[in-house]
Amino acid sequence: MKHQIHSYLNFLLNSKNQHGVHSPFVYKLVTQCFYDKSPRKAYKTWKLAKLELLNDKTLISVEDFGAGSRVFKTNQRAVNQIAKNVGITQKRAQLLNRICSYLKIENALELGTSLGLGSLAMTLNNHVKLDTVEACPNTLKRAEILFKNFNCTSQISTHKSNFNQLIKSLAPTKTYDLIYIDGHHNYEATWHYFNQLKPHAHDQTIFIFDDIHWSKEMTKAWQDISNSPEIHVSIDTFYWGICFKRPEQAKEHFRIRI
């Protein structure tokens, strides 16, 4: 928690909005996508999905393969409590939906399905086809019910697997327009997944890393990823790290308040 507070204060001191952003690509991304306040039908649908989960008091046994939970003390967890305390927030879900729309994402990969709210945010754009991976069978089963209830099953391919196994199974020529990594929040795993997935990213692929200031380890992972020679555009929004290869662009890092 101390690290998060220090990181947030540092972020507030050094971040900016669209003013001072000289990259045309990033300026348009910020003004036309990040700061787009127009209403969307998808937002209402997503809220209904979140409400369904918040009303579900079913206990499920969760197998935690990541860095562990700071909220739950047991692996027996109620669905509504997972949705309330762990699931993607409304603000992030809406941004994820806008990103998929603005960048015209067609093929996406999500490492960490959880209850499926992030998956749903992406696929409420009808042009998105998603591969989503979750190692916990009970969590994934509840997510699949959500996808069925909201008519997204034709767009979503679920995979009960750990992340390494799924990545190794990908065809060498398989690429994604968006890669969203939301799980296993430690340095070694995050850095490893990034390097393993680089061959499955084209020059315009967007990488999104969740909770980059969750710990010192995660902040170091984000710093190493954004400093890697393949990445030319990196954006720290505090809760997400967003980056692109974009070899045609001069290397630049941004801290953007959203």
Side-chain angles (χ1 to χ4, degrees), residues 228-251:
S228 63
E230 298 89 352
I231 298 301
H232 286 245
V233 175
S234 54
I235 304 170
D236 180 344
T237 70
F238 185 72
Y239 50 81
W240 277 352
I242 298 172
C243 57
F244 301 81
K245 293 169 75 174
R246 289 187 63 82
E248 72 274 19
Q249 189 163 338
K251 191 173 181 69

Side-chain angles (χ1 to χ4, degrees), residues 54-255:
L54 290 175
N55 287 329
D56 186 348
K57 298 180 181 180
T58 305
L59 284 176
I60 61 173
S61 180
V62 174
E63 297 178 45
D64 198 333
F65 294 87
S69 173
R70 291 176 174 171
V71 177
F72 299 105
K73 304 303 181 184
T74 173
N75 287 341
Q76 288 292 116
R77 303 171 189 176
V79 169
N80 62 343
Q81 292 302 308
I82 299 172
K84 179 181 178 181
N85 295 293
V86 181
I88 189 171
T89 65
Q90 178 178 314
K91 183 177 180 179
R92 296 188 208 185
Q94 291 181 354
L95 177 56
L96 189 56
N97 179 267
R98 293 197 301 275
I99 287 172
C100 289
S101 175
Y102 177 79
L103 294 175
K104 298 179 173 60
I105 301 301
E106 294 183 358
N107 296 295
L109 172 65
E110 178 185 37
L111 300 187
T113 313
S114 188
L115 295 175
L117 287 171
S119 317
L120 195 65
M122 288 184 271
T123 53
L124 285 171
N125 291 286
N126 293 332
H127 48 79
V128 176
K129 297 290 186 182
L130 175 69
D131 284 320
T132 186
V133 190
E134 176 58 54
C136 175
N138 294 324
T139 308
L140 184 61
K141 186 180 297 184
R142 184 59 183 89
E144 289 173 336
I145 293 170
L146 190 76
F147 301 154
K148 182 178 180 181
N149 290 346
F150 285 86
N151 302 312
C152 287
T153 53
S154 64
Q155 294 171 250
I156 302 175
S157 296
T158 59
H159 304 268
K160 187 181 74 66
S161 169
N162 68 48
F163 298 167
N164 276 320
Q165 289 172 338
L166 185 281
I167 294 169
K168 288 178 181 178
S169 74
L170 295 175
T173 57
K174 178 67 174 178
T175 60
Y176 293 97
D177 307 315
L178 182 149
I179 296 173
Y180 177 39
I181 300 178
D182 180 16
H184 225 141
H185 292 78
N186 64 48
Y187 175 87
E188 184 178 0
T190 303
W191 179 245
H192 173 72
Y193 299 142
F194 169 66
N195 284 290
Q196 291 298 105
L197 285 167
K198 282 190 293 189
H200 301 286
H202 52 73
D203 287 348
Q204 306 305 316
T205 295
I206 177 173
F207 285 89
I208 301 175
F209 297 89
D210 188 60
D211 283 340
I212 58 171
H213 294 290
W214 192 78
S215 65
K216 289 182 179 180
E217 275 194 79
M218 282 300 295
T219 300
K220 184 179 188 311
W222 167 244
Q223 290 170 342
D224 287 355
I225 289 166
S226 57
N227 288 329
S228 63
E230 298 89 352
I231 298 301
H232 286 245
V233 175
S234 54
I235 304 170
D236 180 344
T237 70
F238 185 72
Y239 50 81
W240 277 352
I242 298 172
C243 57
F244 301 81
K245 293 169 75 174
R246 289 187 63 82
E248 72 274 19
Q249 189 163 338
K251 191 173 181 69
E252 201 166 359
H253 178 72
F254 304 88
R255 291 184 178 93

